[in-house]
Amino acid sequence: MKDWNSKSALRGSKIVKKNLQAYSFMLPNLILFTICSLYPVVWTLKYVFFQYGGYGTGVPRFVGLANFARVFRDKVYWESVIHTFTYGFGKVIFIIPLAFFLAFLLNQQKRGNGAAQSIVFLPTIMSSAVMGLVFYLLFNAYNGEVNKYLMTAGLIQKPINWLGKEHAMKTLILTAVWGGVGNYMVYFIAGIQQVSGEAIESARIDGAGKLQTIWYIIIPMLGPILKIILMLAITSAFHDITNVMVLTEGGPNNATMVMSLYGYRYFFPISAAEATVPQYGYGAAVSVISAVIAGMVTVGYLRISKKLDEIY
C-alpha cells in the first residue's frame, strides 16, 4: 500500500512539474496579453458608465447609460459608420481582384517576376504614417505631383483638390489599395501554387480556355484562402486609422471620418485645433458600439461563407 501511494505521489509530482514548466513558458505571453489586451478592454468597459476627462480633471462621475444615449443621438458618429462601410467596401472591391490578377500574372516562372513580386509587396512593410505622408505630398491640391503631371499632360486645366470633400474618400481608398495589395497578392500566390496541376491540365484537354480555367477551376479551388483574404480585408477596414489621420484627419467637414478615428479623437486630440479636454467615458462608449458593429459584420460574413460552403 505504501509503495502504491509513493508511486502515485511521484507520478503526481511529475505531472505538476510538467504543468509548471508549461505554464512558465506561457507566463510571459499571458502577462503581455493581460497588460496589453485584457486590461484595456476592462478599463474601457468600466468607463463607459462614467464621465471622465483623464488625470487632473477630477474624480470620474457615474452617469449610467448617458454615454450610450449620446452616441445614438450623435449624427457625426453615424455618418462615420457610413464612411467606414464605404471605405471598406471600396477597398475590398478593388484590392481583391487586383491582388488576384497580380498573383496570377507574377506566379508564372518568368524572368523578373521575383523582383516584381518584391516591388509590389514593398508597400506592405512600409510604415502607414510614412505611406500617408507620401500620398499627401502626391495629392496635395497646391503643389502635389499628381496635379503637376496632369496639368503638364494637358489632362486638366486647374489643380484638383484630391483631399477635398468630393475626392478625399477616393484618395483614401487608393492609398489603402496601394498599401495592401502586395499582402493579399502573397496569399493568392500561395493558394494558386496549391491548385492541382492535373485539374488544370484536364480542363485544357477538354477544351477550356484560360478564362474558363480561371473561373471554373482555379477560383473555386481558391475558396478557403479567398475566405481568409476577404476576412482580413473586411476587418482591416474597421481599424484602418493611420491613413485617415495623416491624409485628412477625418475631414474636410468630417467627410472621411471613420469609426476608429472618431473614437480615438475623444482620447487623444488628432490636431492642434482639437487640443481640448479628452472625454474618456464617451470615447469608451463609442469604441464599444464600434466594436459591436464590427463584430456583427464579422459574424454575418462568417455565416454567409459557411452557407457558401454548404452550397458548393
Side-chain angles (χ1 to χ4, degrees):
M1 188 68 177
K2 289 184 178 180
D3 292 339
W4 185 86
N5 288 334
S6 61
K7 289 181 180 179
S8 179
L10 182 61
R11 191 181 303 110
S13 64
K14 288 182 178 180
I15 293 174
V16 171
K17 186 177 180 180
K18 288 182 179 180
N19 289 339
L20 288 175
Q21 289 177 345
Y23 288 134
S24 66
F25 284 111
M26 294 171 59
L27 187 61
N29 288 333
L30 183 61
I31 293 173
L32 288 174
F33 173 77
T34 303
I35 295 174
C36 299
S37 298
L38 187 60
Y39 174 74
V41 171
V42 174
W43 187 94
T44 301
L45 293 175
K46 172 187 175 182
Y47 280 103
V48 295
F49 303 107
F50 290 86
Q51 181 178 328
Y52 183 49
Y55 297 106
T57 60
V59 179
R61 183 168 64 89
F62 181 78
V63 294
L65 299 175
N67 286 325
F68 287 108
R70 180 182 168 188
V71 174
F72 285 105
R73 295 192 306 266
D74 193 338
K75 182 180 177 181
V76 177
Y77 171 71
W78 294 106
E79 288 177 351
S80 75
V81 174
I82 296 173
H83 296 156
T84 302
F85 279 91
T86 303
Y87 175 77
F89 181 73
K91 176 181 176 181
V92 170
I93 63 172
F94 284 108
I95 202 169
I96 300 301
L98 181 59
F100 175 76
F101 172 76
L102 290 172
F104 186 78
L105 186 66
L106 299 180
N107 183 57
Q108 303 174 26
Q109 299 296 326
K110 292 184 178 180
R111 186 176 181 180
N113 276 5
Q117 290 179 14
S118 301
I119 293 171
V120 175
F121 184 75
L122 187 61
T124 304
I125 61 176
M126 183 183 294
S127 167
S128 297
V130 173
M131 184 172 63
L133 181 59
V134 168
F135 270 79
Y136 176 81
L137 296 175
L138 287 173
F139 287 96
N140 190 286
Y142 302 102
N143 56 1
E145 295 298 322
V146 173
N147 278 334
K148 286 183 180 179
Y149 286 124
L150 291 176
M151 292 179 70
T152 301
L155 298 176
I156 59 175
Q157 301 300 320
K158 59 180 181 180
I160 297 174
N161 188 5
W162 297 106
L163 300 177
K165 189 172 184 179
E166 185 179 356
H167 300 289
M169 184 59 73
K170 302 171 189 175
T171 305
L172 286 174
I173 292 172
L174 177 62
T175 306
V177 171
W178 182 81
V181 68
N183 191 34
Y184 301 118
M185 179 196 70
V186 171
Y187 286 117
F188 273 123
I189 288 177
I192 291 172
Q193 290 177 350
Q194 299 301 317
V195 174
S196 172
E198 295 178 357
I200 296 176
E201 188 64 28
S202 298
R204 289 176 179 172
I205 293 173
D206 291 337
K210 283 189 176 181
L211 291 177
Q212 291 175 319
T213 303
I214 293 171
W215 185 256
Y216 292 106
I217 304 296
I218 296 178
I219 292 180
M221 296 185 75
L222 287 176
I225 193 71
L226 183 59
K227 288 195 298 184
I228 295 174
I229 292 171
L230 284 171
M231 188 69 200
L232 292 173
I234 292 170
T235 54
S236 67
F238 282 95
H239 60 76
D240 198 351
I241 184 175
T242 310
N243 289 337
V244 183
M245 187 184 299
V246 174
L247 278 173
T248 64
E249 295 181 353
N253 195 25
N254 295 316
T256 57
M257 182 63 67
V258 292
M259 291 191 303
S260 55
L261 182 59
Y262 190 75
Y264 178 89
R265 70 193 298 191
Y266 285 100
F267 292 97
F268 310 100
I270 59 177
S271 65
E274 292 192 352
T276 56
V277 177
Q279 302 177 43
Y280 288 175
Y282 185 62
V286 168
S287 301
V288 168
I289 293 178
S290 299
V292 170
I293 293 173
M296 291 171 62
V297 172
T298 303
V299 171
Y301 170 75
L302 291 174
R303 288 188 175 181
I304 292 172
S305 62
K306 187 177 180 180
K307 288 183 179 179
L308 289 176
D309 288 340
E310 293 174 357
I311 292 172
Y312 293 101

